[in-house]
């Protein structure tokens, strides 16, 4: 493939003495084929045009996780991303530092916050009464894809909940938590599920699926979060808004077929919480947007009830079989 | 040629967001698309049923597909979360014969015809762009938007994960941009176009959700948008109905009119605004639409 001229529009960040950030944009022209990794082009710029350009890299082969940065609007590994995939119609791409972590200089961020989230979930096996005596050879299949995580923080950088919440544990740490909870050798599974059900844990994920889309290692953090929610509820952790809300669905579906939006507030927040939301309710009522407490019943509702009863009698495992662990 | 779809509105369009349903019907009427209501179909379970009762969630979806097979039509929906929930289940059932067999056993025992795996789940916005003849659509635009600057808000559940959808998704999705151009408007490019509306954490993380709403609408407004459209009844609720509430609790003023894509398309087709439920919108787009001669 022949060389083309590409423009890298790079955000340059320098911390001033008072701690604030001085930000400007520099444009560099580089020659490359569409298949050239973005990291090679950054090195080209640093070696031949501006030695002060600062970024992190090490393995150059999508293993160490140090070259994660925002390239063309999404967080990607510079060493794994080919320039031809990310440029716009003018052969230009914008490159900035990761989000949700403080910038040190240019494209390098302080990764302390991200790793403190990972440490928060205790990323090691603990001794305790729930350790299995025997571990069969399929035990690892379920967590295989989660252990592919290289701690690059691409997911955390683009996580829409992390953008508005410093407290949220975040996708990578929750995926790691799933890895330990699914490990038969782990001794404190119930404790973990209880802690994860607290505020800013598994229930704060907005289910936006962004982490699944941007992860360069196909870890699918949100899928792990979904399974953690199931297990947390199965273990009896119901005393939180997330679980209470989720629990409303199968009841509504078996009793009328439709969701009862009018009752959801009450069931999730309780009477006092729902009163707190009165302002919001009045605001919606202004436009006639208060749902009827009596949603219509679907036809052949008995079929849905029969399906429910059948599955309660003879449960079907659709989540933990090895072949379901990695959807591809 | 008439197009027929098994029409899956989703619960929100039947209860709080009726205007999206009215507008979809009105627009399809103009284009000769027949939407057949799925009277037997239950709620899809949204993001929650998969968490509480994973097998029941799959069986509920399979029952919905089985009804569509009976009707002999693909499914079209106007809710992103329904779209993602059904597409995810469909993707699993179509690609795992053992799973399909297991689920069909449950359906059979419950008096439901087994799912043969032939149904496609589509968003009505895709149908407008990918299936309706461009010339036909253009011929119906009697009130072009005259350069109205429209921010497309795609919503997560029509974009990700890319591989489960029957249309271009992820970073390749551009159906709303195309639709805006076909209506004679100017698509606005802005940061929040593929972000989360926050609907699903509205109760568990109320403050965070409100910040998301203000961030997304604010970034569209800063980029010069006159109005925002979404293809999703839940995004409509978050970005439209909740915008005022979000402004109050974050102390940031935005004031960006938000409407369902079918409502704006209806306006561009000159359909009576009463049929489109324009008066049900919390922040009226009327000044912006009148200024461009659309209303
Ligand atoms: S889950 Fe994926 S994106 Fe997140 S840190 Fe691990 S490898 Fe990176
Ligand atoms: S799905 Fe959840 S964890 Fe993943 S990016 Fe979205 S909010 Fe964050
Ligand atoms: S340099 Fe190691 S992951 Fe890119």
């Amino acid at each position: 493939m022949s060389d083309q001229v590409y423009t890298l529009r790079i955000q340059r960040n320098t911390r001033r003495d008072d701690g604030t950030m001085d930000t400007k944009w520099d444009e560099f022209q580089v020659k490359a084929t569409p298949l050239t990794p973005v990291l090679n082009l950054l090195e080209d710029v640093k070696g031949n045009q501006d030695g002060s350009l600062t970024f992190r890299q090490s393995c150059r082969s999508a293993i160490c996780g140090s070259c994660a940065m925002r390239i063309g609007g999404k967080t990607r590994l510079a060493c794994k991303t080919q320039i031809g995939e990310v440029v716009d119609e003018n052969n230009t791409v914008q490159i900035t530092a990761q989000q949700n972590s403080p910038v040190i200089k240019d494209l390098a961020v302080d990764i302390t916050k991200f790793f403190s989230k990972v440490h928060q979930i205790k990323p090691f096996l603990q001794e305790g009464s729930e350790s299995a005596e025997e571990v069969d050879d399929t035990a690892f299949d379920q967590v295989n894809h989660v252990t592919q995580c290289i701690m690059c923080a691409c997911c955390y950088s683009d996580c829409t909940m992390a953008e508005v919440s410093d407290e949220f544990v975040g996708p990578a740490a929750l995926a790691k938590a799933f890895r330990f909870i699914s490990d038969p050798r782990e001794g404190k599974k119930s404790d973990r599920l209880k802690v994860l059900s607290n505020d800013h844990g598994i229930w704060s994920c907005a289910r936006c699926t962004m982490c699944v889309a941007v992860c360069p290692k196909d870890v699918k953090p949100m899928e792990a979060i979904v399974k953690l929610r199931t297990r947390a509820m199965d273990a009896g952790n119901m005393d939180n808004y997330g679980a209470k809300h989720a629990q409303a669905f199968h009841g509504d579906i078996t009793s009328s077929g439709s969701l009862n939006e009018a009752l959801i507030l009450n069931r999730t927040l309780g009477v006092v919480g729902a009163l707190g939301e009165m302002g919001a309710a009045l605001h919606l009522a202004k436009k006639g947007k208060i749902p009827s407490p009596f949603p219509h019943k679907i036809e052949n509702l008995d079929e849905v009830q029969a399906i429910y009863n059948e599955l309660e009698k003879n449960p079907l495992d659709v989540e933990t079989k090895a072949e379901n662990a990695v959807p591809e | 040629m008439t197009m027929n779809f098994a029409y899956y509105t989703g619960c929100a369009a039947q209860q709080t967001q009726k205007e999206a349903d009215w507008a979809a019907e009105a627009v399809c009427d103009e284009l000769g698309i027949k939407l057949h209501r799925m009277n037997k179909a239950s709620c899809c379970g949204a993001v929650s049923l998969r968490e509480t009762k994973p097998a029941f969630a799959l069986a509920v979806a399979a029952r919905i597909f089985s009804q569509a097979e009976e009707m002999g039509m693909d499914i079209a929906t106007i809710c992103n979360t329904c779209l993602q929930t059904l597409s995810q289940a469909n993707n699993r059932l179509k690609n795992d014969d053992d799973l399909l067999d297991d689920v069909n056993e449950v359906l059979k025992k419950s008096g439901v015809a087994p799912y043969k795996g032939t149904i496609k789940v589509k968003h009505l916005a895709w149908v407008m762009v990918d299936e309706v003849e461009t010339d036909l659509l253009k011929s119906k635009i009697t009130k072009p938007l005259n350069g109205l600057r429209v921010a497309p808000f795609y919503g997560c559940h029509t974009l990700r994960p890319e591989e489960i959808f029957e249309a271009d998704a992820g970073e390749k999705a551009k159906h709303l941009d195309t639709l805006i151009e076909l209506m004679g408007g100017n698509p606005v490019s802005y940061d929040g176009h593929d972000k989360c509306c926050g609907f699903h954490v509205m109760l568990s993380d109320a403050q965070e959700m409100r910040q998301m709403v203000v961030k997304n609408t604010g970034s569209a407004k800063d980029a010069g948008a006159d109005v925002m459209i979404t293809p999703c009844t839940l995004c409509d609720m978050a970005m439209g109905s909740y915008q005022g509430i979000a402004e109050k609790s974050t102390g940031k003023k935005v004031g960006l009119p938000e409407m369902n894509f079918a409502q704006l398309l209806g306006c561009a087709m000159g359909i009576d605004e009463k049929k489109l439920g324009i008066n049900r919108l919390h922040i009226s787009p009327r000044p912006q639409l009148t200024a461009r001669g659309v209303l």
Side-chain angles (χ1 to χ4, degrees), chain A residues 207 223 257 259 289 318, chain B residues 15 19 43 50-51 92 194:
Chain A
R207 294 284 304 267
E223 295 298 325
L259 198 61
K289 296 204 170 184
V318 299
Chain B
Q15 302 184 36
E19 60 272 26
C43 165
R50 227 188 107 201
E51 296 168 352
R92 283 190 72 181
D194 64 349

Side-chain angles (χ1 to χ4, degrees), chain B residues 54-75:
Chain B
F56 183 51
L58 273 179
V60 158
R63 179 177 169 275
I64 294 170
F65 303 146
S66 159
Q67 197 200 341
E69 277 179 341
E70 238 168 64
M71 297 164 76
M73 300 165 199
D74 283 334
I75 293 175

Side-chain angles (χ1 to χ4, degrees), chain A residues 65 68 75 77 114 118 145-146 148-157 171-173 175-176 211 214-221:
Chain A
T75 310
L77 298 177
F114 171 72
V118 177
H145 68 299
V146 177
Q148 292 166 14
C149 174
I150 57 172
M151 293 285 136
C152 63
C154 284
C155 56
Y156 188 65
S157 165
K176 183 138 300 267
C211 52
V214 299
C215 173
K217 290 291 171 182
D218 209 23
V219 170
K220 302 188 195 305

